[in-house]
Amino acid sequence: MDFGVTPFDGVPLPPRVTICEVGPRDGPQNESAVLPVAVKAEFVERLVDAGHTVVETTSFVHPKWVPQLADADDLIRAITIAPGIRYPVLVPNMAGLERALDLGVRDIAVFGSVTETFSRRNLNRSVDESLEMFAPVVARAREAGIRVRGYLSMCFGDPWKREVPVRRVLDVATRMRALGCTELSIGGTIGVATPGRVEAVLATLITAAIPVDSIAVHFHDTYGEALANTLTALRKGIVIIDASAGGLGGCPYAGSATGNLATEDLLWQLYGLGIETGVDLQKMVDTSVWLAGHLGRPSPSRTVTALAG
Ligand code: HMG
Ligand code: MG
């Protein structure tokens, strides 16, 4: 499809962005149906075939905490690894890192929270304790030349505390970077973010000299604000955007979290703005329709609905 380049309000937008496709990881963790490993592996391979270069594949967490991803080791073994493609996995602690290293994983993400309640629910630890847990993980991974993303959840509000001060986001972001995280993903875990908040949080991080090309945004779409938030992030120069095929996703430890920004909805906006991604929209739609058949429910993405054959 060629929509040409649409100038946007005089504000320069990045000519190209990298989509971090989180569907295989953020998706199944919130589904009651557990997909067979072969289906998960085909999902990952289809995403790569559609043009994704970063596919967050699974989590090496405790299987009792996220049973839907208990097959993480088998999945990594089952995937045909394509050259030049990154397959990050979530790793909370040294036990998870050891599992990942044994399988030759080269990209990991630790996942912290800026609020205490979510940190305790998700990691059984305070924010300080979680950062202590991450420290040796990040250090060991960096020694091994592995890229480490640091997630910060609840950056725009949480279901228990609602308001989250921007300085709190900056504090945890600074500490994650001091541990050695090479990239930060700013999480709108429960979808309450709106453009003004996104502008304020990103401006604070960028003003604090966190390199803009090391900041990703991760919007769940609970209130339908994810695309507006993404456009705000693009206007701040953000070039890494998390999205999930068909709008899968959520967090079992954040009750009100629904799916992520759908990759197809994101692609429709980026095509319209003339921003390159390298990802084929129709292949994504076909993949989400195929996966919906396995999940037994249609994709919530409007773009998938509009373009499904
Ligand atoms: P814990 O109970 O405090 O664990 O859970 P522990 O350190 O006390 O260890 C207890 C037992 O678990 C031990 O075994 C460990 O070996 C084992 P035992 O000695 O009793 O036989 N264990 C493990 N086994 C396998 N793999 C591991 C592992 N770690 C410990 N990695 C823990 C702490 C961090 C493990 C737990 O809280 C956990 O697994 N949490 C994961 C929660 C999760 O995955 N949430 C969803 C992802 S976050 C998200 O979705 C948000 C995001 O999308 C961004 C956004 O939207 O904002 C990223
Ligand atoms: Mg998420």
Side-chain angles (χ1 to χ4, degrees), residues 25-26 218 220 260:
R25 191 281 305 171
D26 213 322
H218 180 105
H220 286 260
N260 288 75

Side-chain angles (χ1 to χ4, degrees), residues 16 19 47 50-53 263 267 271 276-281 284:
R16 186 176 178 89
I19 300 177
L47 294 170
H52 280 293
T53 53
T263 308
L267 285 172
Y271 276 130
E276 295 283 334
T277 64
V279 181
D280 185 284
L281 175 55
M284 286 303 302

Side-chain angles (χ1 to χ4, degrees), residues 25 29 60 62 93 99 122 124-125 153 189 218 220:
R25 191 281 305 171
Q29 70 181 23
F60 287 93
H62 194 293
N93 54 16
R99 289 169 61 197
N122 201 42
N124 200 23
R125 277 156 183 77
S153 283
T189 317
H218 180 105
H220 286 260

Side-chain angles (χ1 to χ4, degrees), residues 120-141:
R120 288 188 186 280
R121 286 187 185 225
N122 201 42
L123 293 166
N124 200 23
R125 277 156 183 77
S126 68
V127 171
D128 285 352
E129 288 164 346
S130 70
L131 292 170
E132 280 164 27
M133 177 169 73
F134 299 152
V137 175
V138 181
R140 171 86 181 83

Side-chain angles (χ1 to χ4, degrees), residues 18 37 71 96 100 148 197 273 299:
T18 300
V37 173
D71 57 6
V148 184
R197 275 294 287 177
L273 291 166
S299 158

Side-chain angles (χ1 to χ4, degrees), residues 1 86 108 114 130 140 155 167 192 200 239 249:
M1 270 181 251
R86 294 168 50 198
I108 65 161
V114 302
S130 70
R140 171 86 181 83
C155 290
R167 66 175 183 285
V192 294
V239 291

